[in-house]
Amino acid sequence: MVDNIGAEDTAPADEYRQIAAGFTARVHGATAASWDNRSPVPEWTARDVVRHLVEWFPPFLTDATGIELPPVPSVDDDPVAAWDQHSAAVQALLDDPSHTDTPFRHPRLPEMPLGTAVSQFYTADVFMHTWDLARATGQDERLDPERCRVMYEGMLPLDEMLRASGQYGPRVPVPDDADWQTKLLGFIGRRP
């Protein structure tokens, strides 16, 4: 299953719907025994990949907009339900026409529309962590090559700033003729 995303001009709600579907498929494809498997992110299990996505975004959203997402089940108790409920809440937020013009005002970022912020920060994170979850749980690791290209080329000029943020590991060298997914994964510090 290749996550079929690539259009740079996709509306944030549609983009999230497509990318979250790929992550959701891996969440639902994980076996009960695989949730404690090591992930490619140092010191994280497969369960921690879901925990990261479910836990970091709500306070980020609240800090910038005052919007609070509903609570979800514990990832420790039920990672599938936690992801499903969280992802449905994010999708509902993006689908809600009353939030079309909601400004995103985070203290460490320039102001932007809510949909743009979700796309740049959260949807992109879901896309990249889809590979981590697939690798940890022994599922299909293929990502949309065009989306990988767009992200890789967009991140290249920000290399120094991204490394300084502490959110990315050291870049892993890959061959010059590597495919886009391999280039993206190496850039964010994964060993494809």
Side-chain angles (χ1 to χ4, degrees), residues 145-183:
E146 179 62 12
R147 175 77 181 187
C148 289
R149 179 193 67 78
V150 168
M151 288 186 69
Y152 174 73
E153 290 178 346
M155 294 169 84
L156 269 179
L158 307 173
D159 191 357
E160 188 174 313
M161 180 190 73
L162 292 173
R163 302 278 167 238
S165 75
Q167 301 299 312
Y168 297 90
R171 194 171 179 171
V172 174
V174 299
D176 290 341
D177 62 350
D179 61 63
W180 292 114
Q181 178 172 319
T182 301
K183 287 180 179 181

Side-chain angles (χ1 to χ4, degrees), residues 14-159:
D14 295 334
E15 178 190 42
Y16 181 78
R17 184 175 290 106
Q18 292 170 340
I19 289 174
F23 190 83
T24 299
R26 274 51 168 227
V27 168
H28 284 264
T31 64
S34 68
W35 285 113
D36 293 321
N37 290 353
R38 301 298 317 154
S39 86
V41 181
E43 300 178 19
W44 281 12
T45 64
R47 184 184 312 274
D48 293 325
V49 174
V50 174
R51 182 187 327 279
H52 165 72
L53 292 172
V54 167
E55 292 182 358
W56 82 260
F57 182 67
F60 182 69
L61 175 69
T62 302
D63 287 350
T65 65
I67 297 169
E68 293 188 16
L69 295 178
V72 299
S74 164
V75 175
D76 289 323
D77 295 339
D78 192 343
V80 177
W83 170 254
D84 285 348
Q85 290 180 32
H86 169 77
S87 187
V90 173
Q91 189 66 61
L93 175 72
L94 292 171
D95 286 338
D96 185 342
S98 71
H99 290 300
T100 302
D101 297 322
T102 298
F104 188 89
R105 297 183 181 115
H106 195 276
R108 291 174 291 175
L109 298 167
E111 184 175 324
M112 63 189 80
L114 172 62
T116 300
V118 173
S119 178
Q120 286 182 5
F121 299 104
Y122 191 65
T123 304
D125 205 35
V126 172
F127 181 75
M128 290 182 285
H129 285 303
T130 298
W131 184 84
D132 294 323
L133 185 61
R135 171 67 58 103
T137 57
Q139 299 184 68
D140 186 350
E141 298 176 7
R142 291 175 295 163
L143 302 174
D144 177 65
E146 179 62 12
R147 175 77 181 187
C148 289
R149 179 193 67 78
V150 168
M151 288 186 69
Y152 174 73
E153 290 178 346
M155 294 169 84
L156 269 179
L158 307 173
D159 191 357

Side-chain angles (χ1 to χ4, degrees), residues 3 8 118 170 191:
D3 297 315
E8 293 180 60
V118 173
R191 297 192 178 280

